Amino acid sequence: MVRRYTQEHTFLHPWGRVTAACWRKYTDPENRTRLSHILDVDTLDRKLDSLNGRLLTKRAITVNAPGPWWLQKIVGESVCHCIEESTVDAGKKSMEIVTRNVTLKNFVSVEEKCWYSPHPENSDWTILRQETSISCHTFSALASMAEKIEQRCVEKFQQNSVKGREVMENLCTYLEAEANGIGVRV
Amino acid sequence: MKENMRLSKNSPCAALKSAFNECFNKWYGDKFLKGQWEKDECFHEWEAYRTCVLRRMEEKKLSHLFQIEATMYAKNEE
């Protein structure tokens, strides 16, 4: 069984600032406590298409494994490794990010797609479209338990994406102040 | 988990990582977004950081997870 859900969010900031905030989201030390489920983020590969202004990046993201402690005992892992692939097209003003897990795949598959583009009604705003699909793979005897776990995963993801958006909003405000020459923090 | 957190905090790549991130964020905002995308200005920072990360993944026996992924772009290079 696969659970899918979509979310939309409008940032009242231009596309450039929002995507700049996006790059700082996991690496900014100020936000580490807010996004404590993210343990580590490392860039694995990157490529600049200097002809068309496209930037391709692959990052490894280590997160706390979803689910209750007893599940982590069964699974034998308390962390989950994910791959994030992103494409920024500066000319077209689009940023696409796809994240999926590479560990615990026998138990759960999560894929999250995010698109950032200028808002169709106001080019000074940015719209984020987010699509998440989560599916648990377990024996049928455990199906109802799997469903509960799945539901918990969805709830956890939703909570975390709210936190993520809050961090993004803060970073946008910071970058706006910086662009205006007002130092908010060093 | 504790060990993993400890590793990430005291990672030997931490300094190289922040040097790269700092360079990248500046380049992204000041150049890339403004249409000056001909040159990747953080190449040296990236090389140093990348070498460290790949070595660390090897040590933590994680490289097999990311191996195919990490070499994909290299193969696509024209």
Side-chain angles (χ1 to χ4, degrees), chain B residues 42-65:
Chain B
C42 303
F43 187 75
H44 292 295
E45 286 83 353
W46 164 239
E47 280 299 302
Y49 165 51
R50 181 199 169 122
T51 310
C52 188
V53 165
L54 293 181
R55 198 188 310 131
R56 191 173 141 244
M57 296 247 165
E58 199 77 49
E59 282 162 12
K60 287 175 85 182
K61 310 246 180 292
L62 287 174
S63 48
H64 65 284
L65 285 174

Side-chain angles (χ1 to χ4, degrees), chain B residues 17-69:
Chain B
K17 173 152 81 174
S18 32
F20 166 69
N21 283 332
E22 202 175 302
C23 179
F24 173 82
N25 285 330
K26 199 168 160 37
W27 171 79
Y28 187 82
D30 295 350
K31 302 281 169 74
F32 183 72
L33 287 178
K34 291 176 181 163
Q36 299 166 38
W37 50 60
E38 305 75 28
K39 195 171 166 270
D40 183 354
E41 291 181 3
C42 303
F43 187 75
H44 292 295
E45 286 83 353
W46 164 239
E47 280 299 302
Y49 165 51
R50 181 199 169 122
T51 310
C52 188
V53 165
L54 293 181
R55 198 188 310 131
R56 191 173 141 244
M57 296 247 165
E58 199 77 49
E59 282 162 12
K60 287 175 85 182
K61 310 246 180 292
L62 287 174
S63 48
H64 65 284
L65 285 174
F66 303 113
Q67 204 160 33
I68 304 157
E69 318 277 347

Side-chain angles (χ1 to χ4, degrees), chain A residues 15-17 19-20 23-24 27 32 36 39-62 64 72 78-79 81-83 85-86 88-91 95 100 102-103, chain B residues 1-2 4-5 7-9 11 13 17 20-22 24-29 32-35 37-43 46 49-50 53-54 56-57 60 62 65-66 68-74 76-78:
Chain A
W15 179 84
R17 187 182 299 147
T19 59
W23 287 115
R24 292 167 189 242
T27 55
R32 285 308 292 253
S36 56
L39 299 176
D40 212 357
V41 179
D42 270 310
T43 308
L44 295 175
D45 209 359
R46 55 197 291 272
K47 191 184 172 186
L48 173 69
D49 172 356
S50 53
L51 217 63
N52 304 304
R54 287 167 81 241
L55 179 68
L56 291 85
T57 310
K58 255 182 230 278
R59 297 198 297 184
I61 300 181
T62 308
N64 273 321
Q72 293 173 9
S78 59
V79 296
H81 296 284
C82 302
I83 286 270
E85 291 174 87
S86 62
V88 187
D89 191 321
M95 183 185 208
R100 62 202 154 74
V102 288
T103 53
Chain B
M1 191 176 80
K2 268 180 190 157
N4 257 286
M5 290 181 80
L7 279 173
S8 61
K9 272 181 189 158
S11 162
C13 307
K17 173 152 81 174
F20 166 69
N21 283 332
E22 202 175 302
F24 173 82
N25 285 330
K26 199 168 160 37
W27 171 79
Y28 187 82
F32 183 72
L33 287 178
K34 291 176 181 163
W37 50 60
E38 305 75 28
K39 195 171 166 270
D40 183 354
E41 291 181 3
C42 303
F43 187 75
W46 164 239
Y49 165 51
R50 181 199 169 122
V53 165
L54 293 181
R56 191 173 141 244
M57 296 247 165
K60 287 175 85 182
L62 287 174
L65 285 174
F66 303 113
I68 304 157
E69 318 277 347
T71 52
M72 240 174 80
Y73 286 161
N76 288 343
E77 293 281 353
E78 284 112 295

